[in-house]
Amino acid sequence: MVEGGRLKIPTKGPDGQPNGWLLPLWNVNDAPELRPEQVYVTAVAPHSQKGPHCHRVRRGLFVCIKGDVRIVLRANGAYKTHQLGERFGYGLLCVSPGVPACIYNDGDTEALVINLPAPAWSAEQPDEWPVEEWNP
């Protein structure tokens, strides 16, 4: 598991006044070994969860761009919680192959999470495995 940060960067117009912000999701110069092979957005409904599930081959790389999520990982029998999203500085979370994970949206609005996994999903190798005895 690798955890790295990405920060929202304020932007300014030609007049020097704030006009918004940008959020770098991926730059190959930051971590070439984590180069994604697919990019998709998953929506997590309010007060719900996605998972838990496990990928034995695929690595996930997550950033929450709307709302806030709690991602719980289980490695070596121990649970670790990561907070991603608007209130938490838009961090980037890498979930290694073989590490079960569950994404929770405890908020009142839909959360949007971008995943940049590798290798990419394919019908020939779906790589989705159930997780038993999940008790974070």
Side-chain angles (χ1 to χ4, degrees):
M1 293 174 289
V2 175
E3 186 176 5
R6 295 287 185 271
L7 298 176
K8 181 169 70 172
I9 301 169
T11 59
K12 296 179 181 177
D15 61 359
Q17 296 300 308
N19 66 358
W21 53 272
L22 65 89
L23 178 66
L25 297 178
W26 176 253
N27 182 325
V28 70
N29 297 314
D30 292 342
E33 72 280 6
L34 296 179
R35 181 184 298 268
E37 292 186 7
Q38 179 181 14
V39 178
Y40 66 87
V41 176
T42 188
V44 187
H47 305 287
S48 65
Q49 70 187 59
K50 295 249 177 145
H53 68 278
C54 184
H55 299 294
R56 294 181 183 164
V57 176
R58 192 164 49 251
R59 177 257 310 135
L61 193 58
F62 298 94
V63 61
C64 180
I65 60 166
K66 178 182 175 242
D68 297 302
V69 295
R70 175 172 50 96
I71 301 180
V72 178
L73 309 179
R74 183 176 70 198
N76 302 317
Y79 293 92
K80 184 168 183 184
T81 298
H82 302 268
Q83 304 280 356
L84 300 179
E86 296 174 20
R87 293 185 303 152
F88 305 104
Y90 299 98
L92 188 66
L93 177 67
C94 182
V95 179
S96 299
V99 175
C102 190
I103 303 172
Y104 297 90
N105 178 356
D106 300 319
D108 295 329
T109 61
E110 178 181 76
L112 298 179
V113 177
I114 294 177
N115 189 8
L116 301 96
W121 182 89
S122 72
E124 293 78 32
Q125 294 181 322
D127 190 35
E128 285 139 12
W129 304 92
V131 176
E132 297 178 17
E133 299 182 31
W134 184 260
N135 298 304

